[in-house]
Amino acid sequence: MMTTAPTVAEIADIARRARIQILKAVAHAKGGHVGGPYSAVDMLAALYFRVLDVRPDEPDWPDRDRFVLSKGHSSIALYTVLAMRGYFDIEELATFDAIDSRLQGHPDMTITPGIDMSSGSLGLGFAGALGIALGARALGKDFTTYVMLGDGECNEGIVWEGAHVANRYHLDNVVAIVDQNNLQQFGWRGDTATERLTPYVGDELAGRWRAFGWHVLEVDGHDIGAFLNTVEKAQAVSESPVVIVAHTIKGKGVSFMEDNYRWHSRVPTEEEFATAMQELGETKAGER
Ligand SMILES: Cc1ncc(C[n+]2csc(CCOP(=O)(O)OP(=O)(O)O)c2C)c(N)n1
């Protein structure tokens, strides 16, 4: 475990190694998601290794910053980063999705250290995160609650009910991050460039958050340095809730997975697994 905060290049390498562990866990479990975890993992690594004030050896420390992965189907990305940060052993990732594992397909706050809110039913994690932020205000606590949503998740009505409430209460102790990879579960009708349906077009998604009174920042979610700067800007926003719309690529990091909805949830064949490991720079000794 590192004792000083890692550099941007070191975080990028943590995310690369996390991608290796994620695919290993999914291949071992013979189930799980890959595309969404790969679009989110650079930001998760940046958050856990540079942003969040947390204590992995004391996961329930009351004053910790909170993080909610509202797009809970990307749980394996969060578990991997938590393990790399020291919440539990990397070996435990091999139990992912097993019936008696702490690492279920969707995060369960009652069994897994480091999980602040159970999630998986799209939209509910976001509402829970806003509740945590309102609770912090009521208790006079000054920690920040971070919550990550998918862009497809933003189709859920509860997201906009929550966005309305957060603005109504001028919640400025919450930072939402939308992982805008422009793909949901099933891709697009016809699967051609011209027929491709994206959940949001152009400024539509950012504009919607603006219309709900949120301060909107935009960034490339794979540019770790830029993301860290944007989080700093988000922390400085007061009087209104703030959302970072992060432009990402589903399946980022492996050529044949990138921008391909079929990798939303898919187990690699042996050949695909080998190619992916090679592209991710897996060494013979195995990655830790
Ligand atoms: C309420 C609800 N409806 C449907 C699902 C099934 N589901 C899981 S992931 C997903 C697509 C989510 O798309 P997005 O938020 O863009 O996720 P990402 O691309 O980041 O994986 C769907 C429909 C669910 N988990 N919850």
Side-chain angles (χ1 to χ4, degrees), residues 33 36 39 71 73-74 120-122 150-153 156 179 181 183-185 250 264:
H33 296 76
S39 66
K71 43 170 266 177
H73 57 283
S74 293
S121 185
L122 297 172
D151 53 350
E153 182 175 13
E156 294 288 346
D179 179 0
N181 58 33
L183 287 178
Q184 304 188 22
Q185 192 167 3
K250 200 153 177 165
H264 173 78

